[in-house]
Amino acid sequence: MRFFLRRTAFYLFTAWAAITINFFLPRFLKGDPVSAYIAKNQGLISPDAAAALRTLFGLDKNQSLLEQYISYWKLLLSGDLGRSFSKGLAPVTDVIASALPWTIGLVGIATIISFVIGTTLGAYAGWRRGSKADALIPITTFFSTVPYFWLGLIAIAFFATTLGWFPASHAYDKGASPELTWDFIGQVINHGTLPALTIVVSSLGGWVLGMRNMMVTVMDEDYVTVAQAKGLPPRKVLINYAARNAVLPQLSSFALSLGFIVGGTLVMELVFSYPGVGKLLLDATNAKDYPLMQGLFLIITLTILVANILADVAYAILDPRTRQSEA
Amino acid sequence: MTQPETAVMAAVADPAPRTARKQTPFTKFAQAFSMFRNGKSITGLCILGFFVLVAIFGDLLAPYGPLDKDFSALRQGPSSTHWLGTTHMGEDVLSQLIYGTRGVLVVGFAAGIIATLIAVIIGVTAGYMGGWKSESLSAITNVFLVIPALPLMIIVASQYENPSLLLIAGVLALTGWAWGSRVLRAQTMSLRNRDFVQAARANGEPLYRIIAVEMLPNLIAIIASSFVGTVTAAVLGLTTLAFIGVIPITNLNWGTILFWAQQNGAFPDFWWWYVPAGLCIALLGMALSLINFGIDEYVNPRLRSAGERAREMRKKGIKVTSSVTAVRTTPTSGTQPDDGAASAPRHASPAVDLDAVTPVAPPAPANPDDTTAR
Amino acid sequence: MTTLEFKDVTKRYRIRGTGDFLALDKVNFTLTSGKTIALVGQSGSGKSTIAKILTQLERATSGEVLLDGKPIPRRGRALRSYRQQVRMVFQDPFASLNPYHTIRHHIERPLRLDKVVPNEEVENEVYRLLERVRLEPNDVIDRRPHELSGGQRQRVAIARALASRPSLLIADEPVSMLDVSIRLGVLNLLADLQRENNLGVLYITHDLATARHFSDEIMVLNRGVVVERGNADDVILNPQHAYTRELRDASPNPDKHFAAPGTTSPRS
């Protein structure tokens, strides 16, 4: 119980800190791009939206910092993140909401595939340590040290442009609009294969290495030796005794990596012109769309926080020992 | 569990005449870097050394200036005059690559040094202090762990027209120190309660000496590994930022080459323009990973001995995955009492040499066993 | 003649969640140079807490610790001079020596810290100390702890404790981590050094047999309370307290094993 209280306090503090950083970030911006924008679009911005923007960016010089901070919180709690300059003054929350499913779908599926394949390969490499399976490590490590975006560019050059197997960019064919038809789903899969493949290939190394090292450590434990001594079939020992325990840290890293789904592959989306959160952030940066940048940063931070909570919960459920010790 | 040859068999009553190995400054120096003394780390260090030399002697090595334009050769493939071809402006790709090495290494190492300094100061202090001071330092660390590095870098870097190398390194360090700090805190906490630290306290050693002389040397492997880790992350971060175009092109590095290549339609036809830069990033990353693999094996000797032992057994025709049965089928096992798992070879204790040295691991800090650190 | 007095010393640990834990409850005893007191008790009885308070790694919650009638100074030079008088040999010789440093470093440090001998004499003093604990100085001085056996390490730890020329020595289960066959050697060494230097020794142990053999007085500790104390032979042969009898009966008796074959031999 104490453990959960402590963790809750920790997450509340971290969330508060992240939101506060988000409050101060635009206040350090040089110049005043936001009021310039508001002045330029006098008639277009409704008074309400302008007021919200003033609060978010601290433009109300009459207010003290504390008052600004309080009204900033009020705004956040009512779910208002301001209006996006570059997206025709659409509410930031709407803009993000439209991009979020694409990122979560693409990167989420790729992360799961990479985790499953990588952990299986790692378990095998640890089980058959000292054999040819050891060659897996340098190969997968090489791909994980290659920058994402470069691998993506090469993949486009090879599979899309030269071979023409997959489309090089976007999430679906030009002219199509999102709808629930087989044709559209097919397009999405077709467009998503290449970016997903790139993510899987370049993130495999971490999973393989982590699982392999844990396997090697676990294989030395007495309970594995005893299981073998009892004459259990190797397959059973591998799955029920060794891999089962070795996979625990993998699962918590997996939960952590979920946090990086939203913010971790920005550049990948740029390379493939994929309409996700990462591309949105880069576009917002180029267009100096500060409300959108601030909102995206907040969302990305909060996702990582939620993933941390998930990792903690997963670990507490799977390994009761952690509840006693401090993480 | 470790190789028996590290054992020194000597009884107290009858010390074998042995000449003491003299401690010289050189052996002391060598000991401080013993975690690099393995094939993987050395290979990594050699590759890294190569890049360092290229960075230092770039002016001598590069056949042309990085921005020298040769208008007679635009977008030319590799030739004897331009070994790695030219860009759309007739610039020599090889020369850009050589000059770019400097930018990558300077920023990478500067970020690594700053981040490691922060990590050591915060992590070791938090680990040694205990109580609310430790808790608040670790709370700060955790906040920095949650803040997404790349988006923050993009937002901060986009605020400056022409960010200096040091500023870029500083931002990369600011987003990269937290992980190392967390690992160091855990390790320091376990060191703090070791008897040798308690003994130093009981002897009245001052605090700075306890931390600097008694504890830090035992943390060197972890500090080194977190340094290498942040350098790797910083190199990837820098090239990524350069590739997106957040960092001004005047700061030439491998990422800038890729930025220009993509901006000017080098993909997919002009492979000489974009393939070498990517391979250089991968090679440098690989070298740094190799160094860290070596340190990992030094810290956790099981990782190394496991592979060696398995190969050894396979040579003898024994299946690794069934070690216990293997013991029973080898000729010597017949004499061993058949009491199940306890007769596995690694449990056998040298009953004869009661006062002989137990084979122990090299003077490595114990495996952090901090499963969350993976 | 140095005297160390424990007066009504109480130690209470704050444990969050479960309330307080009383580790020591009004413990009184006097340790004088030239005498050995054995402190006997099960694990968790508070033996190590006494050692920690004596070495000032922890402070008593209440009560007084007096060295020659004066309370232990809280900090600074005075505390250092107290520490120079009272030294400790830790239980685990594998943990009490820093794996990174050579044997020379371990013995040199207290010599330099307390300025026992002038700087140019330090090297000779290290050799002398190693010889006193029956180690071959040339053989071990430049080695690191992991290159030595457990017995050798514990001898190094004893040499380190003696370096500051203390008058009182705390030995916290000094042989419990060593192989049975070499325990006697280390204990005999401690006894010799005690006689030669007229040391006052607090011998902490759970082994009644060695407690009787090596000490003048025995003090039995149970859950932070001294339940019995007295002349070593008296306590062992004629225990008054039920806990002492329990301890005695729990310790291995060689005769019984001959009588009942098949019983497993006692493990350390």
Side-chain angles (χ1 to χ4, degrees):
Chain A
M1 198 56 217
R2 255 206 93 70
F3 172 77
F4 287 109
L5 281 179
R6 283 175 66 98
R7 297 312 284 170
T8 313
F10 157 68
Y11 285 119
L12 287 178
F13 171 77
T14 314
W16 169 80
I19 291 170
T20 307
I21 290 174
N22 208 42
F23 167 77
F24 280 109
L25 210 56
R27 282 165 177 74
F28 288 127
L29 296 186
K30 280 193 299 193
D32 192 354
V34 180
S35 15
Y37 186 90
I38 294 174
K40 206 164 63 188
N41 297 282
Q42 201 76 62
L44 297 169
I45 305 178
S46 71
D48 270 3
L53 284 174
R54 283 180 208 285
T55 308
L56 285 170
F57 290 91
L59 301 178
D60 264 335
K61 300 297 175 211
N62 301 330
Q63 278 190 323
S64 73
L65 202 63
L66 185 69
E67 283 166 346
Q68 289 180 29
Y69 188 61
I70 292 169
S71 33
Y72 168 80
W73 265 101
K74 278 187 193 149
L75 212 58
L76 279 193
L77 292 176
S78 66
D80 190 349
L81 292 176
R83 302 279 171 141
S84 160
F85 297 168
S86 59
K87 305 280 173 187
L89 291 175
V92 166
T93 37
D94 291 0
V95 177
I96 296 177
S98 69
L100 212 50
W102 291 109
T103 298
I104 292 178
L106 172 72
V107 192
I109 291 171
T111 306
I112 292 169
I113 294 175
S114 174
F115 170 75
V116 171
I117 298 179
T119 305
T120 315
L121 286 178
Y124 181 75
W127 182 251
R128 304 264 307 163
R129 59 202 191 277
S131 72
K132 286 200 186 81
D134 276 357
L136 269 173
I137 309 288
I139 295 171
T140 51
T141 307
F142 174 80
F143 280 111
S144 65
T145 56
V146 172
Y148 268 108
F149 59 87
W150 186 73
L151 204 61
L153 289 170
I154 300 278
I156 293 174
F158 194 69
F159 291 107
T161 318
T162 311
L163 293 173
W165 289 358
F166 300 104
S169 59
H170 303 294
Y172 43 87
D173 292 349
K174 278 210 175 87
S177 60
E179 51 190 356
L180 254 180
T181 60
W182 287 116
D183 178 49
F184 184 73
I185 293 172
Q187 285 180 24
V188 170
I189 293 175
N190 199 22
H191 279 263
T193 308
L194 216 45
L197 200 70
T198 318
I199 297 173
V200 170
V201 167
S202 56
S203 60
L204 211 54
W207 301 120
V208 174
L209 190 70
M211 187 63 182
R212 187 252 173 196
N213 284 357
M214 269 319 286
M215 276 295 279
V216 166
T217 311
V218 166
M219 295 279 292
D220 261 359
E221 299 287 344
D222 285 342
Y223 58 78
V224 174
T225 316
V226 171
Q228 292 173 326
K230 282 195 291 193
L232 291 176
R235 245 187 88 81
K236 218 169 179 177
V237 179
L238 165 65
I239 295 169
N240 288 358
Y241 289 79
R244 202 194 166 111
N245 286 289
V247 86
L248 280 176
Q250 287 285 100
L251 283 174
S252 81
S253 329
F254 174 70
L256 280 179
S257 74
L258 291 179
F260 294 98
I261 286 179
V262 174
T265 49
L266 307 175
V267 194
M268 176 67 69
E269 292 180 3
L270 174 77
V271 168
F272 286 96
S273 306
Y274 206 82
V277 173
K279 177 115 192 325
L280 205 56
L281 178 62
L282 291 169
D283 289 347
T285 315
N286 289 334
K288 304 232 181 276
D289 185 348
Y290 290 104
L292 191 52
M293 276 160 75
Q294 196 190 20
L296 282 166
F297 188 74
L298 186 68
I299 295 292
I300 292 171
T301 313
L302 291 183
T303 331
I304 297 178
L305 195 67
V306 170
N308 269 280
I309 297 174
L310 278 181
D312 254 9
V313 171
Y315 215 89
I317 291 171
L318 293 166
D319 187 355
R321 280 174 304 177
T322 46
R323 279 179 222 148
Q324 273 108 52
S325 64
E326 183 218 10
Chain B
M1 252 160 256
T2 40
Q3 308 313 79
E5 58 261 29
T6 55
V8 182
M9 300 295 180
V12 175
D14 178 27
R18 221 190 289 108
T19 44
R21 283 166 303 164
K22 196 68 195 149
Q23 181 104 26
T24 64
F26 178 75
T27 56
K28 249 188 165 157
F29 182 80
Q31 200 223 345
F33 292 94
S34 51
M35 64 263 188
F36 298 129
R37 225 182 289 141
N38 55 68
K40 285 180 185 151
S41 287
I42 290 172
T43 314
L45 284 171
C46 286
I47 302 174
L48 183 63
F50 167 75
F51 281 117
V52 170
L53 288 179
V54 169
I56 295 173
F57 300 108
D59 307 295
L60 302 172
L61 290 168
Y64 304 92
L67 302 173
D68 288 357
K69 290 164 183 66
D70 176 359
F71 293 107
S72 65
L74 304 180
R75 293 197 190 92
Q76 294 257 306
S79 65
S80 54
T81 41
H82 299 285
W83 289 4
L84 288 177
T86 56
T87 69
H88 66 300
M89 303 278 281
E91 296 145 339
D92 184 55
V93 175
L94 178 64
S95 303
Q96 289 195 337
L97 214 54
I98 290 172
Y99 278 98
T101 313
R102 196 174 293 174
V104 170
L105 286 188
V106 166
V107 173
F109 275 89
I113 290 168
I114 300 170
T116 309
L117 272 180
I118 304 176
V120 169
I121 291 168
I122 305 253
V124 174
T125 316
Y128 193 83
M129 294 287 225
W132 66 269
K133 289 176 196 151
S134 167
E135 292 293 321
S136 40
L137 283 178
S138 92
I140 293 172
T141 312
N142 283 317
V143 170
F144 274 90
L145 269 181
V146 167
I147 291 178
L150 200 56
L152 184 70
M153 281 189 261
I154 292 172
I155 291 174
V156 173
S158 67
Q159 296 312 309
Y160 292 86
E161 284 301 315
N162 191 2
S164 69
L165 282 184
L166 201 66
L167 178 82
I168 297 166
V171 175
L172 289 165
L174 200 65
T175 53
W177 62 271
W179 197 229
S181 168
R182 188 164 164 172
V183 176
L184 276 171
R185 172 173 176 258
Q187 190 62 22
T188 309
M189 280 169 78
S190 93
L191 270 184
R192 182 185 59 180
N193 293 321
R194 297 278 180 86
D195 279 354
F196 67 82
V197 174
Q198 298 292 331
R201 280 182 61 202
N203 281 359
E205 290 275 12
L207 181 62
Y208 79 90
R209 267 201 83 100
I210 291 180
I211 290 180
V213 179
E214 303 295 329
M215 291 170 77
L216 270 189
N218 289 292
L219 294 170
I220 281 188
I222 291 175
I223 294 173
S225 126
S226 98
F227 173 74
V228 175
T230 22
V231 173
T232 315
V235 167
L236 269 182
L238 173 74
T239 46
T240 307
L241 288 177
F243 173 74
I244 321 172
V246 179
I247 290 179
I249 34 142
T250 47
N251 171 3
L252 188 69
N253 66 55
W254 299 336
T256 347
I257 297 175
L258 293 172
F259 171 74
W260 278 117
Q262 213 221 357
Q263 293 293 310
N264 295 291
F267 290 89
D269 295 336
F270 312 127
W271 59 268
W272 59 86
W273 195 351
Y274 60 86
V275 168
L279 283 182
C280 279
I281 301 173
L283 196 60
L284 181 58
M286 193 74 189
L288 294 166
S289 306
L290 276 174
I291 297 174
N292 253 358
F293 285 176
I295 300 175
D296 275 354
E297 291 184 351
Y298 171 86
V299 174
N300 183 0
R302 278 186 195 184
L303 293 181
R304 178 186 60 239
S305 55
E308 286 168 3
R309 242 185 310 136
R311 264 188 291 278
E312 202 59 26
M313 289 173 81
R314 192 162 286 121
K315 254 185 232 160
K316 292 181 197 149
I318 302 164
K319 270 172 78 186
V320 198
T321 41
S322 50
S323 62
V324 174
T325 358
V327 173
R328 289 189 184 140
T329 52
T330 50
T332 48
S333 66
T335 56
Q336 285 189 357
D338 194 4
D339 56 353
S343 69
R346 57 199 174 78
H347 291 289
S349 56
V352 206
D353 288 294
L354 277 176
D355 198 19
V357 172
T358 332
V360 277
N367 173 24
D369 262 342
D370 179 8
T371 43
T372 55
R374 291 200 185 281
Chain C
M1 183 75 178
T2 314
T3 324
L4 188 103
E5 213 178 334
F6 247 51
K7 261 186 162 174
D8 286 337
V9 171
T10 299
K11 178 73 189 178
R12 203 183 285 279
Y13 286 106
R14 282 266 140 78
I15 296 173
R16 281 181 290 184
T18 51
D20 287 3
F21 173 72
L22 192 62
L24 291 180
D25 191 7
K26 296 204 170 144
V27 173
N28 290 286
F29 68 87
T30 309
L31 186 62
T32 47
S33 44
K35 285 262 191 305
T36 301
I37 300 181
L39 182 60
V40 185
Q42 287 173 313
S43 36
S45 59
K47 291 174 300 182
S48 295
T49 308
I50 291 182
K52 278 180 188 157
I53 292 175
L54 280 171
T55 48
Q56 282 296 289
L57 291 174
E58 277 173 17
R59 291 219 168 88
T61 313
S62 67
E64 280 182 303
V65 184
L66 306 171
L67 183 71
D68 289 333
K70 288 189 285 272
I72 302 182
R74 293 230 140 199
R75 54 175 64 83
R77 206 174 293 257
L79 175 60
R80 182 166 291 170
S81 102
Y82 167 84
R83 287 185 151 147
Q84 181 257 314
Q85 295 264 306
V86 184
R87 281 289 147 112
M88 168 149 149
V89 176
F90 286 76
Q91 177 177 13
D92 183 357
F94 290 86
S96 71
L97 302 177
N98 191 333
Y100 182 83
H101 290 299
T102 57
I103 303 309
R104 183 199 306 275
H105 169 93
H106 284 95
I107 298 176
E108 220 177 64
R109 278 310 300 163
L111 290 174
R112 292 191 191 277
L113 205 59
D114 295 317
K115 300 192 175 58
V116 182
V117 291
N119 274 345
E120 59 274 15
E121 275 295 304
V122 165
E123 179 83 1
N124 286 334
E125 183 72 9
V126 173
Y127 272 73
R128 214 179 56 77
L129 282 162
L130 287 172
E131 276 162 8
R132 286 195 66 194
V133 295
R134 322 276 192 272
L135 287 172
E136 180 56 52
N138 280 321
D139 208 38
V140 296
I141 193 161
D142 283 316
R143 291 183 179 278
R144 276 165 231 291
H146 71 274
E147 297 174 291
L148 304 185
S149 71
Q152 287 175 316
R153 291 184 197 207
Q154 199 57 301
R155 283 163 197 267
V156 170
I158 293 170
R160 168 173 64 177
L162 291 179
S164 69
R165 299 185 184 167
S167 41
L168 302 173
L169 188 71
I170 301 148
D172 186 2
E173 309 213 24
V175 294
S176 69
M177 306 293 277
L178 304 181
D179 278 319
V180 181
S181 61
I182 57 162
R183 288 184 178 176
L184 202 61
V186 172
L187 285 175
N188 279 329
L189 172 70
L190 274 173
D192 290 348
L193 293 169
Q194 188 262 331
R195 266 192 303 277
E196 287 163 27
N197 295 23
N198 197 31
L199 286 170
V201 174
L202 182 70
Y203 173 44
I204 300 177
T205 182
H206 56 251
D207 179 6
L208 284 175
T210 58
R212 179 185 170 195
H213 191 267
F214 287 98
S215 47
D216 308 298
E217 199 183 314
I218 291 184
M219 211 160 53
V220 181
L221 198 66
N222 183 25
R223 296 179 184 205
V225 182
V226 176
V227 292
E228 184 158 1
R229 72 173 82 205
N231 180 289
D233 285 342
D234 293 348
V235 172
I236 301 297
L237 298 176
N238 188 18
Q240 299 301 307
H241 196 274
Y243 179 71
T244 317
R245 277 196 291 277
E246 241 174 76
L247 270 183
R248 189 188 62 176
D249 296 341
S251 67
N253 183 342
D255 302 332
K256 273 187 188 161
H257 290 288
F258 285 114
T263 40
T264 47
S265 60
R267 303 195 67 162
S268 55

